Amino acid sequence: MANGAEKVRLSLQKDNKGWKKWGPYLSERQWGTVREDYSGNGDAWNYITHEMALSKAYRWGEDGIGGFSDNKQHICLSFGFWNHKDKILKERIFGLTNRESNHGEDVKEMYYYLDSTPTHSYTKMLYKYPQQLFPYDKLRQENGRRGKEDQEYEIMDTGVFENDEYFDIFIEHAKADEEDILMKVTVFNRGPEDAPITVLPTIMFRNTWSWGYEAFNYKPIMNGISNRLIEVTHRKHGKYNLYLDNADELLFCENETNFKKLYGTANNTSYPKDGINDFIVSGGKSNTVNPNHIGTKASARFTRTVKAGTSEVFRLRYVNHAISEPFGGFEDLFAKRIREADEFYDDLQRDVSDADLRSIQRQAYAGMLWSKQFYYYNVYEWLKGDPAQPGPNQGRKWGRNSGWKHLYAANIISMPDKWEYPWFAAWDLAFHCVPLARVDADFAKRQLEILLREYYMHPNGQIPAYEWNFSDVNPPVHGWATWKVYEIDREQNNGVGDIQFLEKIFHKLLLNFTWWVNQKDDTGNNIFSGGFLGLDNIGVFDRSTPMPFGGKLQQADATGWMAMYTLNMLRISVEIALVHPVYQDMASKFFEHFLHIAGAMESIGGKNSSISLWDEEDQFYYDVIHIPNGQSILLKVRSIVGLIPLFAVEILDPQNLDKLPVFKRRVEWVLANRPDLARLISRWFESGKGENRLLSILRGHRMKMILKRMLDESEFLSDYGVRALSKYHEENPYKFYINGEVLQVDYTPAEALTDIMGGNSNWRGPIWFPLNYLIFDSLMKFHAYYGEDFMVEYPTNSGNLVTIKEAAVGIACRLIDIFKKDTEGNRAVYGHDQKMQKDDNFNDHVLFYEYFHGDNGRGCGASHQTGWTGLVAELILKTAKETVRKSETQEAEIIK
């Protein structure tokens, strides 16, 4: 691969320093988070609301639009805007809380991440700002009126964009050097008439001086020098200059709470956090900004009237030394960084020829890179409170996350969505790392290491789930992600793998694996539980709570995940053993552990048991619930739960076995002496290579039956990927009768109709990228074993026979079609919204939603969850490479 300027920058430092010290690390919503909640009842959404955020100094981080900060978020840069009609400045992205919306928390703005290099040497985003009064009240009232059966009421539905009366605001950053950041805001008036706008580039210090700790007793300061310069002085970072190009004036206040406005008590300053807001919206009539031009928060005011159909440009530069001509060569530097970004992505996308796919993929990468965030949460300090602040309610000592006092997070972490999920989620993060590894393998590796560190992982080995409840249980996918990141990194490093990374992760994963075995296999029979496992409302019951009537659930998905986990650990230990032979014993351990899980899945109670997770009648895997009277019942919901055993697949290469004699002897001993386990291993002789051995929960008949159902368009296979619930349940809802009550699971292809797990996610029919990607990945492994001669019907009942690889690529292409323009220029992701489909100022920009309508591909849930939906970038790359390989093979055959 070519070594362009961006790759050179990446090679200079592997951590988040150097060229990565400054980046888009601000949250888009700090309010309404657990970290900022000091209430007695854990009501995070109401402790600090959107309106209060204007006036409340946060404790654990900052938010903003287009926000940039250092890697510990001491100094923050962002942008505010005012359309001269709103009652408050647009300083942060607006959305509804969990209780205000009919399907849980939901952002109600239009903005897109358009570009970013991995070092953030160049970034670009777009924010669409209405020229009319922002419809805060309308969005709240209409969504509050709607029920679960109704679609969500979005900002596009309010009409504020119908007549093009809005501004397209492009925010760009270009680094001249590690500590020299050029910023440009370009405001387009898309409307038919001239319109005023005030642009407010803002800089603030995160408030660390109000909490009463000796280490943070220093209060930094900013000084205004004329209207073109703000001097910034911070003990930890030294001095910086923020240059403004032709600003109207500089405005200063303090990043401190307005206690008088919020609580009716005395303020610590005459110029609190909302001082600039009050000054601007009052037309300069309030005395809320410091006339001495000093403070800990400052904005430069640029007020312009933008003519219809034209644009205005606003420029600033943030640098750690003085420059006599700060805007000399400004545009040349931007042009250079854009060329370097193009060079970086041209190399990455060399196999992707379709222009629309290249755009989708690049925006997916941009979203993932913009979604980095400084995440700060010291649970011990949060529970006990700060020395200089009122003590928290005593109930907090035994409340949320009280068992995680060791957790001390202060890192740049990839977020699922910086508005709806501005906190790490463990299993989301594992999926993020796969596409992230393509653009920055070092960052991806560090992400996997973070959650396994001793100040994240619980001493008992549990990985923290997410801040609403660190003790929730997520699927054990970190072993899988570790291997995928290792593979990608090895591919990009000329076939040389980072064994040290594998070994470091492996030891921590051992602790987590042991936690699973000790905590989630309570009968010791290799059948696992685990609760909701990230699948929110997938089943009959809320699996995150105890089963009704004292029942105990044994889960096909939990057991399938653990079978997969054992094979991930086996694969990693084999790879390390090729360098450090002592790991052969670990390979043997996981080899046999997998076989015991595979055997247990066949019959929970042993060979004489009539209950198995596999149902012979339906030819599918189901959960089993055991009730106190001794009865065991299959919960016959045809869901993604029954497909998860597909993920437990690995191939043992005989060439590797020959290099590992201790492990090979153990494998051969099992084959010879344990026929009950040996039958679980498929063997395939390949001329000239020897025996491949397939380890899989699914072999032969069962695999064919699972694939038959999964590839059936009347069941799981949609035009846009694999559904989380079979469409069979649309006409045949599953019913479970208990104590005179009927619990029912229906096929609901879009938003959730239940309140389980907050009601903002739905696994009863929609398409989700993470599990679809695992399906694709698993099918590619099966093909690697069975080869070109093993054919499946795709789709089921079509009469069309293809290889397993062709079926996998077919599913991948359906997923890509969610975003790709069809023959009429429409994108399925945008549904029936004609403005977003036909207007070039909307249609060429892509939103990466949390999940997608099971029948039509419309985006649902969080609209900026590029996190795991960013996997589409990897699918575009994989399918493009397969197309290239196929073309090269055909050409070779023609030549032959």
Side-chain angles (χ1 to χ4, degrees):
M1 298 174 73
N3 284 321
E6 179 63 13
K7 287 192 176 178
V8 171
R9 285 190 284 265
L10 277 172
S11 69
L12 295 176
Q13 198 144 0
K14 295 183 181 297
D15 57 14
N16 294 311
K17 297 177 183 177
W19 277 89
K20 288 189 279 189
K21 175 183 174 182
W22 294 88
Y25 305 144
L26 265 68
S27 173
E28 282 167 358
R29 177 176 62 81
Q30 188 70 11
W31 62 272
T33 61
V34 167
R35 282 157 289 155
E36 300 296 341
D37 176 22
Y38 283 80
S39 68
N41 58 357
D43 186 4
W45 285 114
N46 287 311
Y47 185 74
I48 303 179
T49 65
H50 175 265
E51 283 70 24
M52 292 174 67
L54 175 71
S55 308
K56 175 81 171 178
Y58 297 128
R59 170 61 176 87
W60 297 98
E62 291 293 344
D63 56 19
I65 299 174
F68 240 60
S69 79
D70 64 273
N71 56 9
K72 294 300 180 184
Q73 207 170 95
H74 291 118
I75 305 173
C76 308
L77 300 140
S78 63
F79 296 90
F81 308 100
W82 188 47
N83 59 11
H84 293 237
K85 291 186 174 67
D86 287 345
K87 296 178 180 178
I88 60 172
L89 298 181
K90 179 57 67 175
E91 292 184 290
R92 57 187 50 81
I93 300 294
F94 171 72
L96 302 182
T97 70
N98 188 280
R99 296 174 184 173
E100 291 174 326
S101 182
N102 56 331
H103 294 121
E105 63 265 31
D106 191 20
V107 71
K108 298 298 182 185
E109 303 255 24
M110 292 303 301
Y111 60 104
Y112 310 84
Y113 308 117
L114 301 181
D115 209 357
S116 181
T117 58
T119 66
H120 313 295
S121 58
Y122 176 71
T123 69
K124 184 178 183 179
M125 71 165 288
L126 167 62
Y127 174 66
K128 291 180 176 287
Y129 186 31
Q131 294 171 5
Q132 299 303 318
L133 198 68
F134 193 91
Y136 295 108
D137 293 338
K138 193 174 185 180
L139 286 163
R140 278 202 176 98
Q141 291 166 5
E142 180 59 26
N143 276 284
R145 186 186 65 80
R146 297 191 178 196
K148 292 289 185 187
E149 300 283 345
D150 301 313
Q151 283 198 20
E152 294 162 6
Y153 185 67
E154 308 291 1
I155 191 170
M156 295 299 294
D157 301 320
T158 66
V160 293
F161 295 112
E162 284 183 5
N163 300 318
D164 293 330
E165 294 178 338
Y166 68 92
F167 297 108
D168 263 345
I169 302 175
F170 292 90
I171 300 171
E172 297 173 272
H173 303 83
K175 294 181 184 178
D177 207 335
E178 295 179 4
E179 301 271 7
D180 189 351
I181 305 166
L182 283 62
M183 290 166 273
K184 180 167 63 172
V185 176
T186 307
V187 179
F188 284 86
N189 180 356
R190 301 297 187 193
E193 298 181 2
D194 300 351
I197 188 169
T198 293
V199 177
L200 295 153
T202 300
I203 183 167
M204 72 181 80
F205 300 118
R206 178 165 58 86
N207 189 324
T208 58
W209 57 88
S210 295
W211 314 116
Y213 294 100
E214 184 65 27
F216 296 103
N217 62 2
Y218 166 74
K219 185 175 181 179
I221 192 168
M222 288 182 264
N223 295 280
I225 311 297
S226 71
N227 285 347
R228 64 186 299 270
L229 173 62
I230 298 174
E231 290 184 340
V232 180
T233 305
H234 194 289
R235 179 185 292 173
K236 288 184 176 294
H237 295 271
K239 292 186 177 181
Y240 290 86
N241 292 321
L242 178 60
Y243 294 99
L244 300 314
D245 187 15
N246 200 27
D248 297 332
E249 63 178 327
L250 303 182
L251 306 170
F252 289 77
C253 64
E254 301 292 340
N255 187 16
E256 299 200 30
T257 298
N258 189 333
F259 291 98
K260 183 176 181 181
K261 180 185 290 186
L262 296 181
Y263 310 113
T265 59
N267 281 329
N268 296 329
T269 173
S270 300
Y271 315 108
K273 180 181 177 181
D274 51 17
I276 296 171
N277 173 88
D278 293 354
F279 180 82
I280 293 290
V281 298
S282 70
K285 296 177 182 178
S286 69
N287 298 317
T288 54
V289 294
N290 193 326
N292 295 317
H293 285 189
I294 59 174
T296 51
K297 176 182 177 181
S299 295
R301 180 179 68 82
F302 296 84
T303 297
R304 304 286 187 271
T305 295
V306 186
K307 294 185 179 300
T310 69
S311 64
E312 292 279 344
V313 177
F314 307 89
R315 306 190 302 177
L316 51 157
R317 185 170 188 169
Y318 180 75
V319 59
N320 65 347
H321 57 269
I323 302 178
S324 58
E325 296 293 336
F327 299 102
F330 190 93
E331 295 300 333
D332 292 340
L333 191 282
F334 261 93
K336 181 180 180 181
R337 291 294 180 256
I338 291 170
R339 285 196 305 271
E340 292 168 354
D342 290 342
E343 176 187 52
F344 178 82
Y345 284 109
D346 284 346
D347 180 50
L348 183 61
Q349 298 179 311
R350 57 190 176 277
D351 292 327
V352 183
S353 57
D354 184 278
D356 190 33
L357 290 182
R358 288 171 69 91
S359 176
I360 294 165
Q361 188 184 45
R362 188 157 170 176
Q363 289 183 66
Y365 287 132
M368 302 204 71
L369 293 168
W370 268 94
S371 293
K372 295 179 182 179
Q373 179 185 317
F374 174 69
Y375 183 82
Y376 183 35
Y377 189 16
N378 180 333
V379 176
Y380 177 73
E381 287 185 356
W382 178 76
L383 287 169
K384 72 182 180 65
D386 297 312
Q389 299 295 313
N393 185 283
Q394 290 298 303
R396 291 166 59 85
K397 293 181 179 180
W398 302 277
R400 175 180 287 141
N401 295 332
S402 57
W404 291 79
K405 296 182 180 68
H406 70 284
L407 195 146
Y408 187 156
N411 297 95
I412 304 298
I413 302 181
S414 174
M415 297 294 134
D417 176 314
K418 288 208 293 188
W419 194 93
E420 299 206 22
Y421 304 106
W423 26 261
F424 73 81
W427 82 303
D428 299 56
L429 185 59
F431 291 106
H432 300 183
C433 290
V434 176
L436 279 170
R438 290 287 174 191
V439 292
D440 188 352
D442 288 323
F443 180 75
K445 287 187 281 187
R446 284 177 62 83
Q447 293 297 286
L448 290 170
E449 292 172 7
I450 282 173
L451 295 190
L452 301 175
R453 290 175 179 170
E454 61 277 8
Y455 43 91
Y456 280 79
M457 178 188 278
H458 198 280
N460 65 17
Q462 185 177 9
I463 295 174
Y466 46 83
E467 70 173 26
W468 286 92
N469 184 0
F470 284 132
S471 294
D472 264 347
V473 182
N474 284 171
V477 290
H478 291 78
W480 172 84
T482 297
W483 180 252
K484 299 308 292 185
V485 168
Y486 173 81
E487 280 189 313
I488 293 170
D489 184 42
R490 182 177 60 184
E491 174 190 334
Q492 295 177 330
N493 197 30
N494 299 315
V496 179
D498 187 349
I499 293 294
Q500 185 177 359
F501 159 71
L502 269 191
E503 194 172 4
K504 184 177 182 180
I505 293 286
F506 182 79
H507 286 283
K508 295 298 184 70
L509 289 175
L510 274 176
L511 299 176
N512 179 244
F513 187 91
T514 303
W515 177 85
W516 272 92
V517 172
N518 290 339
Q519 297 295 321
K520 299 303 175 182
D521 178 17
D522 56 0
T523 59
N525 63 3
N526 291 300
I527 296 294
F528 292 82
S529 59
F532 86 110
L533 283 180
L535 303 184
D536 295 12
N537 61 359
I538 190 68
V540 180
F541 314 108
D542 181 350
R543 301 196 308 176
S544 65
T545 62
M547 292 297 102
F549 53 81
K552 184 173 70 174
L553 192 67
Q554 293 184 309
Q555 298 174 214
D557 59 333
T559 309
W561 286 123
M562 283 303 291
M564 170 183 155
Y565 200 178
T566 59
L567 291 181
N568 300 148
M569 296 294 278
L570 168 60
R571 188 69 191 86
I572 293 170
S573 56
V574 165
E575 187 76 5
I576 301 173
L578 294 172
V579 179
H580 304 298
V582 70
Y583 280 82
Q584 291 178 86
D585 285 344
M586 296 309 302
S588 298
K589 177 263 186 294
F590 285 108
F591 169 71
E592 293 192 44
H593 202 134
F594 166 76
L595 295 179
H596 287 296
I597 294 175
M601 284 196 75
E602 290 202 351
S603 179
I604 290 175
K607 62 183 180 180
N608 297 320
S609 173
S610 60
I611 288 291
S612 168
L613 297 179
W614 176 262
D615 181 50
E616 287 293 343
E617 180 182 2
D618 289 355
Q619 299 287 290
F620 201 65
Y621 282 106
Y622 297 118
D623 289 345
V624 173
I625 190 167
H626 303 278
I627 54 181
N629 67 5
Q631 185 180 6
S632 298
I633 303 170
L634 281 170
L635 299 176
K636 292 193 174 186
V637 181
R638 296 183 190 175
S639 75
I640 201 79
V641 164
L643 301 182
I644 286 173
L646 186 74
F647 306 157
V649 54
E650 192 55 71
I651 302 166
L652 290 182
D653 185 337
Q655 294 181 345
N656 282 340
L657 283 176
D658 290 339
K659 297 174 184 176
L660 304 172
V662 174
F663 178 49
K664 183 179 181 180
R665 283 198 302 271
R666 188 61 186 169
V667 170
E668 291 174 344
W669 187 93
V670 169
L671 294 175
N673 294 278
R674 289 295 302 271
D676 59 320
L677 299 180
R679 67 185 176 81
L680 301 172
I681 307 170
S682 298
R683 304 168 72 180
W684 186 268
F685 183 79
E686 187 176 343
S687 179
K689 192 173 181 181
E691 273 197 311
N692 285 310
R693 294 189 173 97
L694 178 73
L695 299 178
S696 172
I697 292 291
L698 298 173
R699 301 170 320 285
H701 173 72
R702 288 191 182 183
M703 186 188 74
K704 291 177 182 178
M705 292 298 99
I706 289 287
L707 293 183
K708 181 179 180 180
R709 196 177 292 283
M710 186 180 78
L711 300 177
D712 189 337
E713 292 181 313
S714 68
E715 290 221 37
F716 285 99
L717 187 63
S718 162
D719 288 342
Y720 301 100
V722 177
R723 303 175 174 103
L725 188 76
S726 171
K727 197 174 173 66
Y728 166 82
H729 290 300
E730 185 173 40
E731 300 295 331
N732 304 276
Y734 178 77
K735 298 180 180 180
F736 187 85
Y737 299 90
I738 174 174
N739 299 329
E741 181 183 359
V742 180
L743 302 177
Q744 185 165 309
V745 175
D746 298 277
Y747 173 73
T748 54
E751 289 83 5
L753 302 183
T754 72
D755 286 320
I756 294 176
M757 295 301 294
N760 57 344
S761 298
N762 182 24
W763 290 79
R764 295 184 175 182
I767 295 151
W768 291 77
F769 262 78
L771 297 196
N772 268 264
Y773 188 84
L774 283 170
I775 289 169
F776 170 83
D777 188 53
S778 300
L779 291 181
M780 296 298 277
K781 287 183 182 178
F782 278 113
H783 174 79
Y785 177 76
Y786 287 113
E788 299 291 327
D789 296 331
F790 192 101
M791 310 296 283
V792 296
E793 191 177 26
Y794 174 80
T796 301
N797 299 321
S798 68
N800 183 41
L801 295 178
V802 301
T803 66
I804 299 177
K805 179 195 284 185
E806 288 170 330
V809 171
I811 291 171
C813 289
R814 291 179 184 229
L815 291 159
I816 293 167
D817 282 345
I818 291 172
F819 304 102
K820 187 178 180 182
K821 287 184 178 179
D822 62 20
T823 55
E824 297 180 356
N826 295 328
R827 302 186 193 274
V829 63
Y830 290 145
H832 299 297
D833 191 307
Q834 290 304 298
K835 183 74 171 176
M836 297 182 76
Q837 294 287 20
K838 300 302 183 185
D839 189 326
D840 288 343
N841 290 320
F842 285 84
N843 179 259
D844 288 334
H845 309 310
V846 181
L847 293 175
F848 299 88
Y849 286 80
E850 185 178 3
Y851 56 100
F852 303 88
H853 194 293
D855 297 331
N856 61 36
R858 172 177 65 83
C860 305
S863 57
H864 294 79
Q865 192 154 349
T866 321
W868 58 24
T869 301
L871 286 162
V872 70
E874 188 69 4
L875 291 175
I876 289 171
L877 196 68
K878 293 280 191 182
T879 54
K881 285 185 175 181
E882 288 302 324
T883 301
V884 169
R885 289 193 189 101
K886 189 173 183 179
S887 176
E888 290 174 346
T889 301
Q890 290 172 345
E891 288 177 8
E893 288 297 321
I894 292 171
I895 293 171
K896 189 184 297 183

